[in-house]
Every structure is written in structure tokens, then in C-alpha cells.
Amino acid sequence: MEKRLSIVIVEPDKERALPIVDGLREVGDHDIRIISEETGLARQIAEYRPDVVLIDLANPSRDILEELALASGPTERPVAMFVDRSDEQLTRAAIEAGVSAYVVDGLRPDRIKPILDAAIARFHMFQRMRSELAATRAALEERKIIDRAKAVLMKARGIDEEAAYALLRKTAMDQGKRVADIAQQLVMAAGLLTWR
């Protein structure tokens, strides 16, 4: 952890928050803020826009756990949650909410750095996976549009699939656009022409 991080600690009990702050200060010069009030949590976290959120709860209920996890923006930043005890349903709810690290048996200062590093690494891994999934879905949608455009050209011009794709590609090159954009325009135009 070379970079100075902005860290929000969500901890209703100030006495439990102090050892966490001390542990964080031992591993780096971080900008640390404590949120002890659960009302308006999402607004407070959005205001601070931290790099990392640490949530420490003695005995969370499922409702509190989900609210805290969602309010902390687990798709925007790493979130580590520390609980004194848990059960299978609470663990599953935290993971489904996108918590990067879910640690049972509370937070001890000597475990802060490895847990923080693991939460950040896991968060970045899931961000890459989400990006790859989004790119794959977009490519699949483009492929479907291109296939529909080829079908329109094949039917309208009486040409085979290879010739239809070549025509799409040539049109895209001539207009300085992507093949998928030309295909989208063709599919939309064909939809307008055949609409009844």
C-alpha cells in the first residue's frame, strides 16, 4: 500500500473505531474518516467519495448488512466488512451485495493491512471481470445486429452471406464508420420499410 488512500470507517461504537484508526495509521498515511451514524449513510459516503470503505459491526442483522453494503458502493470501491459473528445467510448476503472482503471475528489491528490489500485486489479483479463481461455482451449484441443486417442484404439483393458482409464492410469504410454502426442503421431502416 504505497498510495495514500481515503478510507471511511463505518462503526457506530467510537471505542471500536479507535483501534481500527490506529491500525490504519500504522500501515500508512491515509485520510481516515469515521461514520458512526447509520442514518444518511449513503449520502455521507457519496460526499466523502472514499477509495475504500471498512464496515465494522458487532452483530449485524441481514437488513443492516445489506443497507450498509449497498450504501457503501461496492461496485465503485472496495468494501471490507468485519463482523464478530456470522451465519451462512449473512455471509451470502454480503457477498451478493458485492462486499470485497467479509471477515468474521472482528477486526484486529494486526490484520488490517493484509485484509485491506486483499479487499482492494479482489475489488480490482471483479472490476476487470465486470468490464470483460460488458465488452463480451456488447460484442455479442453487435454480432447479432451484423447478422441481421447481413440477412436483410441477402434477402434484398439476392447475395450470399460473404458478399453481404463485404458490402457492409465497404460501406463502413467509405463512410468512416464501424461495421456495427452501419449494420444498426440498415436494420433500423429495414424495420421502418417493413413496418405495417
Side-chain angles (χ1 to χ4, degrees):
M1 254 185 303
E2 294 92 34
K3 180 185 169 211
R4 183 174 201 261
L5 297 174
S6 167
I7 301 173
V8 164
I9 300 169
V10 177
E11 172 53 75
D13 182 353
K14 294 247 185 205
E15 293 301 313
R16 283 176 61 110
L18 293 177
I20 299 170
V21 171
D22 292 341
L24 286 169
R25 291 222 163 97
E26 284 179 21
V27 298
D29 177 33
H30 303 299
D31 176 22
I32 302 168
R33 295 177 188 241
I34 300 171
I35 297 176
S36 56
E37 183 60 44
E38 291 177 21
T39 55
L41 185 62
R43 179 188 48 76
Q44 292 181 71
I45 290 174
E47 251 176 45
Y48 295 144
R49 293 180 32 214
D51 297 315
V52 180
V53 175
L54 300 179
I55 301 170
D56 186 41
L57 297 171
N59 299 305
S61 71
R62 183 181 173 92
D63 292 341
I64 289 174
L65 184 133
E66 287 178 355
E67 178 186 337
L68 290 174
L70 294 172
S72 61
T75 59
E76 299 170 19
R77 65 189 57 87
V79 176
M81 182 170 285
F82 303 90
V83 296
D84 287 351
R85 61 184 177 78
S86 184
D87 62 40
E88 188 178 327
Q89 289 181 341
L90 290 175
T91 303
R92 186 178 301 122
I95 291 168
E96 288 173 0
V99 171
S100 304
Y102 183 79
V103 182
V104 180
D105 193 22
L107 176 58
R108 294 191 312 265
D110 62 317
R111 298 187 333 176
I112 288 178
K113 184 177 182 342
I115 291 170
L116 198 55
D117 289 345
I120 292 169
R122 186 167 186 252
F123 171 79
H124 289 300
M125 179 187 74
F126 277 108
Q127 282 293 86
R128 279 192 308 277
M129 289 171 57
R130 278 192 280 272
S131 295
E132 289 171 7
L133 180 59
T136 300
R137 284 181 174 157
L140 182 59
E141 285 304 310
E142 284 185 357
R143 186 79 242 149
K144 288 178 183 176
I145 293 291
I146 290 169
D147 286 346
R148 290 200 333 237
K150 287 189 300 189
V152 167
L153 288 173
M154 290 164 60
K155 183 177 179 184
R157 296 224 175 163
I159 57 178
D160 66 9
E161 185 176 356
E162 191 176 317
Y165 185 74
L167 182 56
L168 282 172
R169 192 174 64 223
K170 181 183 180 324
T171 304
M173 288 173 57
D174 290 347
Q175 294 184 17
K177 294 184 178 179
R178 297 176 335 118
V179 172
D181 295 335
I182 296 298
Q184 180 68 43
Q185 291 172 351
L186 179 61
V187 168
M188 283 176 37
L192 289 172
L193 292 175
T194 57
W195 183 71
R196 294 173 196 194

